[in-house]
Amino acid sequence: MKNTPSTPRSSGRRALLLAAVTATAAAGVAPWSVAHAQAQAYPSRPVTLIIPWPAGGSTDRHLRTLAELASKHLGQPIVVENKPGAGGTLGPSTMAQTAKPDGYTIAQFPLGMLRMPHMQKTNWNPLTDFSYIIGVSGYTFGLTVKADSPYKTFKDYVEAARKQPGTINYGSTGTGSSPHLLMEEVADNAKVQFVHVPFRGNADLQSALLGGHVMAQSDATGWDKFVDSGEMRLLVTFGEQRTKRWPDVPTAQDLGYNVVSTSPYGLVGPKGMDPAIMKTLHDAFKKAMDEPKHLEVLGQLNQAMWYRNGDEYRQWAATTYAKDKALIERLGLAAK
């Protein structure tokens, strides 16, 4: 049979058909290929870690060390950005709303993120707007006063609030933060009233206490060096057991108050992160967590390791979110 020369019309049809096949193949394969290539190449530039507290506090001290160690395992620098405000919720919530889920912006996720939506309307959801990467540690909380304070014991402080209602104050790292809520629990149990003064973070709070602007400070162990130097007095801690570093200081449980708080925290990214990128971040931080330098810093801050993989961390968050709703309602702090 004789070959028939192509006509312009038949050539045009073949070109259109080829273009259609190529476009269809590209549409079906290219997105996966691009995502896979990005995951394979990750990380190719520095990663930003948002710490939602001012520089110099206990969280900043801890996570700066952890980020430095994780950088070695990640193969790229991890740059810390302090973004305090809204009781530690401003940094991660802003990240969730503005950052791409490409693994180059992550944040600490304080427990207040699971409480704030119960206390006021938020434009973010702590369970659906974040990718949970790894659980890291929890705090040791305590109440400190200046060394020259008239309150020698926690009982002295509580009794002063009983005798002078509405005049005995304390500062915390923000409304809805664990240092705030644990003191509200104490007040509820003791049937007294404390005046709460919120601050942007523990560095600001410590300065206010040392300057005599507040009577007491409810906070994590960023106060350790001031207690050791004699500038502050530690009246009580809120763990399940007394601390190894300050064994003479009673816990709230020792004193008859049924209040225990460790406020676990970890690292998250925006929702929709590639699982391969999340695993790369998880593995780098997990290796860093096991290093002696990280364990040394935890010891200085009297913090315990609280390792959870991404799935375990997400499940814990969902359970805690539901449980803390009841606590906030009981304390009368729920959104109206």
Side-chain angles (χ1 to χ4, degrees):
M1 181 177 175
K2 241 170 116 176
N3 287 332
T4 304
S6 296
T7 64
R9 180 176 292 181
S10 64
S11 297
R13 279 200 298 267
R14 281 198 299 272
L16 287 172
L17 180 61
L18 180 61
V21 171
T22 303
T24 302
V29 177
W32 179 88
S33 299
V34 170
H36 182 68
Q38 288 174 340
Q40 291 287 89
Y42 177 85
S44 59
R45 63 180 192 271
V47 172
T48 296
L49 168 60
I50 295 172
I51 298 178
W53 311 102
S58 60
T59 310
D60 184 74
R61 286 167 59 189
H62 172 218
L63 291 183
R64 278 182 185 273
T65 299
L66 187 62
E68 178 187 342
L69 297 172
S71 293
K72 298 184 301 181
H73 302 294
L74 197 61
Q76 288 286 345
I78 298 176
V79 181
V80 167
E81 178 184 339
N82 295 94
K83 197 175 185 66
T89 65
L90 178 64
S93 63
T94 300
M95 175 205 67
Q97 295 170 313
T98 62
K100 294 178 180 179
D102 56 9
Y104 290 102
T105 307
I106 60 176
Q108 188 226 13
F109 192 85
L111 189 55
M113 293 293 294
L114 300 172
R115 292 169 169 170
M116 192 64 73
H118 298 313
M119 301 173 68
Q120 63 185 54
K121 186 175 180 180
T122 62
N123 55 1
W124 46 269
N125 184 300
L127 302 183
T128 60
D129 288 339
F130 297 89
S131 297
Y132 287 80
I133 298 169
I134 189 170
V136 178
S137 183
Y139 297 104
T140 290
F141 294 112
L143 188 84
T144 60
V145 295
K146 280 185 69 178
D148 60 1
S149 168
Y151 311 122
K152 306 297 183 186
T153 66
F154 191 58
K155 181 180 178 181
D156 291 342
Y157 180 78
V158 173
E159 286 306 311
R162 195 182 309 283
K163 294 174 183 175
Q164 306 167 57
T167 63
I168 305 303
N169 67 37
Y170 72 94
S172 85
T173 47
T175 301
S177 64
S178 292
H180 169 218
L181 292 190
L182 64 85
M183 286 297 289
E184 293 301 316
E185 283 194 84
V186 168
D188 186 55
N189 291 347
K191 308 304 180 198
V192 299
Q193 179 187 3
F194 302 127
V195 178
H196 175 230
V197 184
F199 287 81
R200 288 169 60 86
N202 34 26
D204 299 343
L205 174 54
Q206 288 163 0
S207 296
L209 178 64
L210 292 172
H213 305 298
V214 289
M215 297 176 177
Q217 166 188 240
S218 178
D219 195 12
T221 46
W223 34 254
D224 60 337
K225 54 196 174 195
F226 299 106
V227 171
D228 288 344
S229 69
E231 296 174 82
M232 293 183 189
R233 183 183 305 121
L234 179 61
L235 302 185
V236 66
T237 57
F238 293 91
E240 291 184 349
Q241 299 177 335
R242 295 191 182 197
T243 65
K244 294 179 181 178
R245 191 163 170 187
W246 303 281
D248 295 335
V249 177
T251 66
Q253 282 198 133
D254 290 338
L255 300 177
Y257 303 106
N258 187 28
V259 180
V260 176
S261 180
T262 56
S263 194
Y265 61 85
L267 304 177
V268 298
K271 67 178 179 181
M273 286 180 64
D274 186 302
I277 290 176
M278 291 176 66
K279 184 179 187 307
T280 298
L281 284 165
H282 166 276
D283 293 351
F285 278 99
K286 179 61 174 71
K287 289 174 183 175
M289 285 171 65
D290 293 330
E291 291 203 31
K293 186 175 180 181
H294 176 245
L295 298 176
E296 180 184 346
V297 170
L298 287 183
Q300 291 170 359
L301 296 171
N302 213 82
Q303 292 185 199
M305 190 96 84
W306 188 78
Y307 168 68
R308 300 290 187 278
N309 66 32
D311 288 339
E312 292 167 340
Y313 190 17
R314 185 181 64 253
Q315 291 165 10
W316 172 87
T319 301
T320 303
Y321 184 62
K323 183 183 70 176
D324 281 3
K325 183 175 186 289
L327 168 64
I328 288 164
E329 289 174 348
R330 179 168 62 82
L331 295 175
L333 298 172
K336 306 299 183 188

